[in-house]
Amino acid sequence: MQSSLSLTFSPTTSAATISRSHHSLPLSTAKPLNLRFCGLRREALGLGFSTSLKHNLRRQYSVIVSAARSDNGSSTSGSFDYDLLIIGAGVGGHGAALHAVEKGLKTAIVEGDVVGGTCVNRGCVPSKALLAASGRMRELRSDHHLKSLGLHVSSVGYDRQGVADHANNLASKIRNNLTSSLKAIGVDILTGFGTILGPQKVQIGASNKIVTAKNIIIATGSVPFVPKGVEVDGKTVITSDHALKLESVPDWIAIVGSGYIGLEFSDVYTALGSEVTFVEALDQLMPGFDPEISKLAQRVLINPRNIDYHTGVFASKITPARDGKPVLIELIDAKTKEPKDTLEVDAALIATGRAPFTEGLGLENVDVATQRGFIPVDERMRVIDANGKLVPHLYCIGDANGKMMLAHAASAQGISVVEQVTGRDHVLNHLSIPAACFTHPEISMVGLTEPQAREKGEKEGFEVSVAKTSFKANTKALAENEGEGLAKLIYRPDNGEILGVHIFGLHAADLIHEASNAIALGTRIQDLKLAVHAHPTLSEVLDELFKSAKVKEHASIPVSEPVAV
């Protein structure tokens, strides 16, 4: 997400002209500038400029946006309060708001809690701070790893509150940056819970303030899902919301669920000295990952660490610690529902996924019925009512629609919606959106798993091939003494189409984007084979991966069109 401002100067005057989207107006300044604002408009458009210039830029930018609205016809000439109203100021809502302003829309965002939503305040941002600190602890406590590098550390410890403060401070900093970036470009932040009263009409909070908008985006996110029978006290039986505060590091903690959330917290807790027990309802750990990657990850992330696990069982009842008694977890067989075992632990983390936060939105006022709490949408994020018809001018993005519960997916969906409401049809290809688990080492993926790809191939009548490369063959990984890792490519040998890429290894979360961009752009493997990668870098893992793929010499079948999911 970015916008650009260009300043041109008259040779005969000291006045400059600032232009955007073919609209211009004079700006007095002493010297030429070439500005490009990217992402969050870092430091609220400060970028090192003087206070007076920053103020002038904000004022001029606001005027430019108003002029753009007037000229491009997107403004409703006073019939609506806003061109676009976004309910929810998480990453998805923020991304949509930035893009809307770039497109010249008068925009407001409604937030009943704090700007940043789950990701910034109770999710991916503070969790990465905990993983950064605990990851360093793990590395410094690994005598074998340090000795292989010729290093020796006599004693290592940590300050629990200091680690917790690092996570909290990071969340606060990012939250403030998001708020500043919205205000700096003229987005109105309306405080209160948004309730849809009818088409294009929203009530803000308990003040009964009613706001109208030509288009509305629901971006209310999700909350931790707590199964029946689980009593959460926030101290000894906790969700990820509580765990991110790191109020304690228990000696023995059970983690219910072994997906992204559970895996990352097992990485944190074991690095800080806890013993971990996984409770997983399915027959294998890490059920959402490619089976081959999951098997390798278990060998590296689970087996050597102070972790045990129970698979194929439900935690039917969890009772917090009280009166000197430990946390009690009653396990039943996931299939027969027969009692299996009872665990006594110091704490339990419920990591069983997330549930959409859609109650109280007033969806009944536009005849919308949720499905397991999710708001039904089509491939363009347009909300579908109880009769299967599209609700005009109403969209839903992010966790609330359940298509792909990732912060960056929500942002991409929001940008896609803005493209549509400003006249450019756009359908997001969710198979090109990457995902990552920030364990040590990391896991990342994009597209289909091998079983999914083979099933698709059987149905559509094409061959599926697999290529692999090891981190042990990468110079940079070996220099870091981090050769444990694998990259896997799933593709069509008849036309070179990438169906999926899965990586387990050092900085896998960063490496995946070459593959995800290739899928998004429809780039073929035979073209990627010609790409040049700097040596020695981890990117050569992907270079070797693409080069090892066996695409038929005369591949001429076009890459299939992206499928909206």
Side-chain angles (χ1 to χ4, degrees):
M1 296 172 291
Q2 65 181 26
S3 65
S4 60
L5 303 180
S6 60
L7 277 68
T8 57
F9 294 80
S10 167
T12 58
T13 70
S14 61
T17 297
I18 180 168
S19 63
R20 181 183 186 277
S21 301
H22 310 293
H23 304 284
S24 62
L25 56 130
L27 170 64
S28 176
T29 187
K31 59 182 179 179
L33 293 171
N34 182 21
L35 310 179
R36 180 171 294 273
F37 300 126
C38 302
L40 302 180
R41 279 74 177 177
R42 185 162 53 88
E43 301 302 325
L45 295 183
L47 302 176
F49 302 123
S50 67
T51 302
S52 59
L53 180 55
K54 285 188 286 185
H55 174 76
N56 208 4
L57 282 173
R58 293 190 185 104
R59 179 173 58 82
Q60 303 285 20
Y61 190 88
S62 177
V63 174
I64 294 166
V65 170
S66 298
R69 286 197 299 270
S70 176
D71 289 354
N72 67 19
S74 60
S75 180
T76 54
S77 302
S79 58
F80 294 99
D81 297 316
Y82 295 98
D83 296 317
L84 181 64
L85 181 69
I86 304 165
I87 304 176
V91 172
H94 179 267
L98 291 184
H99 198 56
V101 171
E102 287 192 1
K103 291 292 185 177
L105 301 183
K106 183 180 181 183
T107 304
I109 195 162
V110 182
E111 181 52 61
D113 188 15
V114 288
V115 171
T118 294
C119 177
V120 171
N121 299 287
R122 299 174 298 279
C124 38
V125 169
S127 68
K128 299 311 160 290
L130 295 183
L131 284 160
S134 61
R136 283 168 174 75
M137 275 297 301
R138 184 182 302 282
E139 185 173 5
L140 291 172
R141 281 178 168 174
S142 175
D143 291 337
H144 175 75
H145 178 75
L146 292 176
K147 285 180 180 178
S148 69
L149 296 172
L151 303 177
H152 174 72
V153 177
S154 59
S155 178
V156 181
Y158 69 91
D159 171 20
R160 180 198 58 78
Q161 189 58 53
V163 175
D165 289 344
H166 172 54
N168 182 64
N169 292 339
L170 177 63
S172 179
K173 180 177 181 179
I174 300 300
R175 179 171 61 249
N176 291 337
N177 286 349
L178 293 179
T179 304
S180 297
S181 68
L182 291 172
K183 291 180 178 179
I185 58 174
V187 174
D188 289 342
I189 301 176
L190 310 179
T191 303
F193 191 85
T195 303
I196 298 171
L197 299 180
Q200 301 170 293
K201 186 182 298 184
V202 173
Q203 177 179 315
I204 311 299
S207 63
N208 294 324
K209 178 181 180 180
I210 296 176
V211 175
T212 61
K214 184 175 181 181
N215 291 286
I216 297 171
I217 296 177
I218 299 171
T220 48
S222 63
V223 295
F225 171 71
V226 179
K228 292 181 180 179
V230 176
E231 182 183 346
V232 174
D233 67 348
K235 297 295 182 181
T236 59
V237 179
I238 59 178
T239 68
S240 57
D241 286 0
H242 307 106
L244 288 167
K245 298 176 183 177
L246 201 69
E247 292 183 346
S248 67
V249 179
D251 292 335
W252 184 9
I253 184 169
I255 300 179
V256 183
S258 62
Y260 293 88
I261 299 172
L263 272 180
E264 289 187 354
F265 274 106
S266 76
D267 206 88
V268 171
Y269 282 120
T270 54
L272 298 182
S274 298
E275 179 181 351
V276 170
T277 296
F278 273 118
V279 175
E280 173 56 57
L282 297 180
D283 292 332
Q284 66 176 41
L285 296 175
M286 297 173 275
F289 299 87
D290 181 87
E292 188 171 9
I293 295 294
S294 176
K295 184 177 179 180
L296 175 59
Q298 181 172 333
R299 181 168 65 82
V300 177
L301 300 176
I302 305 294
N303 297 346
R305 298 180 180 178
N306 202 10
I307 299 175
D308 66 350
Y309 53 89
H310 300 264
T311 56
V313 294
F314 283 125
S316 61
K317 185 177 181 180
I318 301 181
T319 306
R322 58 171 64 101
D323 300 327
K325 297 180 180 180
V327 174
L328 297 178
I329 304 176
E330 299 179 18
L331 303 179
I332 62 173
D333 188 278
K335 296 177 181 177
T336 67
K337 304 300 186 289
E338 294 293 323
K340 289 279 291 185
D341 201 356
T342 299
L343 301 179
E344 295 184 355
V345 295
D346 298 312
L349 168 62
I350 312 305
T352 48
R354 300 187 64 83
F357 183 63
T358 55
E359 290 186 10
L361 280 175
L363 296 172
E364 65 280 1
N365 296 326
V366 286
D367 197 26
V368 172
T370 61
Q371 300 172 359
R372 295 180 296 110
F374 295 104
I375 297 174
V377 297
D378 70 354
E379 73 279 4
R380 290 173 173 81
M381 310 303 131
R382 297 177 294 190
V383 173
I384 301 171
D385 69 15
N387 298 313
K389 298 180 180 179
L390 295 176
V391 180
H393 307 289
L394 184 62
Y395 301 82
C396 179
I397 65 172
D399 289 5
N401 70 31
K403 278 186 172 289
M404 199 171 196
M405 300 179 78
L406 297 169
H408 50 280
S411 183
Q413 290 171 1
I415 292 170
S416 178
V417 168
V418 171
E419 288 290 296
Q420 295 167 53
V421 301
T422 54
R424 178 175 179 264
D425 189 32
H426 184 270
V427 176
L428 179 65
N429 177 18
H430 285 77
L431 290 176
S432 71
I433 299 177
C437 185
F438 294 84
T439 47
H440 295 85
E442 296 172 344
I443 310 171
S444 64
M445 65 220 72
V446 65
L448 304 175
T449 63
E450 184 177 346
Q452 290 170 339
R454 296 200 180 281
E455 181 181 357
K456 180 180 174 68
E458 289 179 6
K459 289 181 179 179
E460 299 182 13
F462 61 80
E463 182 184 353
V464 173
S465 292
V466 173
K468 305 171 192 175
T469 187
S470 173
F471 277 63
K472 293 178 180 178
N474 181 266
T475 302
K476 182 66 184 302
L478 293 178
E480 299 277 353
N481 197 28
E482 296 283 357
E484 197 72 70
L486 174 73
K488 178 177 181 179
L489 168 66
I490 305 158
Y491 65 101
R492 287 181 59 167
D494 59 343
N495 66 356
E497 178 183 0
I498 299 174
L499 300 175
V501 173
H502 303 262
I503 308 173
F504 173 69
L506 183 66
H507 296 305
D510 299 308
L511 294 175
I512 196 65
H513 295 93
E514 182 174 356
S516 65
N517 289 334
I519 293 176
L521 298 173
T523 308
R524 299 178 302 168
I525 293 172
Q526 49 267 50
D527 295 322
L528 291 170
K529 285 174 178 281
L530 303 177
V532 180
H533 297 73
H535 175 77
T537 63
L538 291 173
S539 70
E540 291 175 292
V541 170
L542 273 295
D543 186 35
E544 293 298 326
L545 184 65
F546 295 135
K547 282 181 168 60
S548 67
K550 307 298 182 183
V551 180
K552 292 182 180 179
E553 185 175 354
H554 300 292
S556 59
I557 301 174
V559 174
S560 61
E561 290 296 320
V563 178
V565 293

